[in-house]
Every structure is written in structure tokens, then in C-alpha cells.
């Protein structure tokens, strides 16, 4: 079983703060790295799919970077808002087609 | 928009009962998956299916079986529910990698199962 780790497990920030969290994954046999956002009582939704070393993706105030050589990805949220409160999941995709998920980072943004 | 639906949001069952969790997707996806999510452990793959009547074991298949009689429907079966199967169960679907190259999965809202 592949080891995909996310840190921190949970995070409390004030509205307006910028924040970031980490996903680490195996650096061998890499195919893609996925980020999902999972809001309470909703379905997890895909945020980004990243495939190339050095990739940066952005969607509004959320961005992500990828380093496949050292096996990590950062997710950044600029100016956090209460609606950003969710669990953020990363998933490592290897050449075998399966996704291996990390444990998630639970973000809570206080107004 | 892809829609993946699950038959129940919450279920309470007794130890030893047979439990069926149903998942339906409306986007003609070939791939379907069942995961369970437990605090701190992330999503763990139970079973997946690449086609009708086809199934493959994931990382934690013990105590579960699946059925895929139609392309849009993938059922997870707990033959004899036990308390350690209390969990959140998530279904997902995706296009085959031959089409998309990346395995973006589309999830249902989850079923929270409590086994007493």
C-alpha cells in the first residue's frame, strides 16, 4: 500500500488569513497528483489534477504546486473565507491507474 | 454535470444483518469505485469495477462484496455487518484512462453507516 501523507490533520484560521498545507507521496512511478475539496454533507469535488514537475494550478484564491522529484505538493489558500472550510484531500495516481488518498487536512475558517 | 447518487445518506443496521449500499451514476462512466473513510485514514479502496460484471479487489475487500449488473449501478454488499464496518462509504465513478489520461473521480455524497 502506497504512503500518501497530508499535514497538518486539521487547521483553524481566522477569516482573511492565508494558509497552506502539504501532501507528500512516493516520488517513484508518479503519474498524477489530485486535489479534492470535501465540504460537510456534500460530495468531494475535484480541484486540480497535476502531472508535471513544477506544475502550478490556480482556481480563484486557491493554488497548488507540485514537486515530483521530492514527492510533495502544496495547496495554498489566499485570504481564507468561511466557505473555504472543508477537508482537502490529495490523491496520488501511479501508472497502475488507481488513486491512493491521503488522510486529508480539515480546514476551519472562523469569521 | 456528472451526478453520482447513493441510496441512503444514513443507515443504522444490526450486527449480522446483510446490508446493501447502492450507487448510480448518470454519465455513462466505465469505472466505478467503493471507498470507506475513517477519521485520520483517508479514503480506502474496497472494490472497483472497470466494466459491467467485472470487479476487482481494492485494499480492504474483506467482509465486502460488490455487484455490477448494469453500467450505471454499482452495489456494495456487507454479507454480515459487523461493528468494525461502521464508517462513511463513498462511491465514485470515472472515465477510463484511455480517454482522459487522468483518473479524476466523481463522488457521491456518501452513506454514513452505523452497525450496532
Amino acid at each position: 500500500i502506497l504512503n500518501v501523507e497530508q499535514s497538518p490533520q486539521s487547521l483553524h484560521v481566522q477569516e482573511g488569513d492565508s494558509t497552506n498545507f502539504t501532501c507528500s507521496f512516493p516520488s517513484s512511478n508518479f503519474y498524477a497528483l489530485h486535489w479534492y475539496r470535501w465540504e460537510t454533507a456534500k460530495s468531494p469535488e475535484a480541484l486540480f489534477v497535476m502531472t508535471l514537475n513544477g506544475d502550478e494550478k490556480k482556481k480563484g484564491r486557491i493554488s497548488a504546486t507540485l514537486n515530483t522529484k521530492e514527492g510533495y505538493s502544496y495547496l495554498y489558500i489566499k485570504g481564507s473565507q468561511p466557505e473555504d472550510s472543508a477537508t482537502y484531500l490529495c490523491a496520488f495516481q501511479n501508472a497502475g491507474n488507481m488513486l491512493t488518498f491521503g488522510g486529508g487536512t480539515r480546514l476551519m475558517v472562523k469569521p | 454535470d456528472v451526478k453520482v447518487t447513493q441510496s441512503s445518506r444514513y443507515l443504522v443496521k444490526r450486527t449480522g444483518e446483510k446490508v446493501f449500499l447502492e450507487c448510480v451514476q448518470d454519465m455513462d462512466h466505465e469505472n466505478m469505485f467503493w471507498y470507506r473513510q475513517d477519521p485520520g485514514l483517508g479514503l480506502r479502496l474496497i472494490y472497483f469495477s472497470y466494466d459491467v460484471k467485472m470487479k476487482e479487489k481494492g485494499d480492504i475487500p474483506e467482509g465486502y462484496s460488490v455487484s455490477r449488473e448494469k453500467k450505471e449501478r454499482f452495489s456494495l454488499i456487507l454479507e454480515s455487518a459487523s461493528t468494525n464496518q461502521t464508517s462513511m462509504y463513498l462511491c465514485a465513478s470515472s472515465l477510463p484512462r484511455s480517454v482522459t489520461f487522468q483518473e479524476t473521480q466523481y463522488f457521491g455524497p456518501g452513506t454514513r453507516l452505523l452497525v450496532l
Side-chain angles (χ1 to χ4, degrees):
Chain A
I1 295 180
L2 300 170
N3 197 26
V4 180
E5 293 186 354
Q6 292 186 246
S7 62
Q9 272 198 347
S10 65
L11 193 54
H12 293 251
V13 300
Q14 287 293 138
E15 182 175 354
D17 287 351
S18 293
T19 187
N20 65 85
F21 23 93
T22 307
C23 173
S24 61
F25 52 85
S27 53
S28 60
N29 211 19
F30 176 88
Y31 194 85
L33 193 283
H34 301 247
W35 280 101
Y36 287 83
R37 175 169 59 198
W38 189 6
E39 295 177 69
T40 302
K42 294 187 178 179
S43 307
E45 286 184 337
L47 279 174
F48 304 116
V49 181
M50 308 173 78
T51 56
L52 298 174
N53 185 43
D55 242 358
E56 289 190 31
K57 299 266 184 172
K58 189 172 180 187
K59 185 184 283 190
R61 293 176 293 97
I62 303 177
S63 60
T65 61
L66 179 69
N67 183 323
T68 59
K69 293 184 178 177
E70 295 181 39
Y72 64 84
S73 175
Y74 293 135
L75 190 82
Y76 300 91
I77 303 179
K78 187 176 175 183
S80 303
Q81 299 297 308
E83 58 266 29
D84 296 328
S85 297
T87 296
Y88 291 82
L89 298 168
C90 70
F92 169 79
Q93 180 184 348
N94 63 13
N97 208 36
M98 290 292 101
L99 295 187
T100 301
F101 284 84
T105 293
R106 188 170 175 224
L107 174 67
M108 286 151 282
V109 183
K110 296 180 221 176
Chain B
D1 270 358
V2 175
K3 191 149 186 194
V4 180
T5 56
Q6 295 183 228
S7 50
S8 307
R9 293 302 298 270
Y10 300 96
L11 269 182
V12 181
K13 296 291 180 181
R14 296 214 172 270
T15 301
E17 279 193 75
K18 192 168 185 176
V19 182
F20 292 87
L21 301 182
E22 304 284 341
C23 175
V24 178
Q25 50 93 5
D26 66 358
M27 282 302 290
D28 205 34
H29 283 174
E30 279 78 5
N31 302 339
M32 295 189 77
F33 307 84
W34 274 107
Y35 294 91
R36 63 178 281 178
Q37 193 265 341
D38 300 290
L41 292 180
L43 303 183
R44 292 182 292 165
L45 183 64
I46 304 171
Y47 266 96
F48 59 99
S49 169
Y50 285 137
D51 205 347
V52 175
K53 295 193 186 291
M54 180 272 175
K55 59 187 178 187
E56 293 283 346
K57 292 180 181 179
D59 297 323
I60 51 164
E62 296 78 20
Y64 303 95
S65 62
V66 289
S67 172
R68 189 150 181 218
E69 296 296 319
K70 293 184 179 180
K71 190 175 184 180
E72 68 270 19
R73 189 180 296 268
F74 192 34
S75 303
L76 181 69
I77 303 153
L78 287 66
E79 295 289 341
S80 177
S82 63
T83 54
N84 62 14
Q85 293 179 308
T86 292
S87 188
M88 167 73 89
Y89 290 88
L90 284 157
C91 175
S93 71
S94 72
L95 286 167
R97 199 164 120 199
S98 57
V99 175
T100 66
F101 300 104
Q102 283 96 36
E103 186 76 10
T104 297
Q105 294 183 8
Y106 298 86
F107 285 88
T111 296
R112 193 168 289 281
L113 173 67
L114 173 62
V115 182
L116 299 173

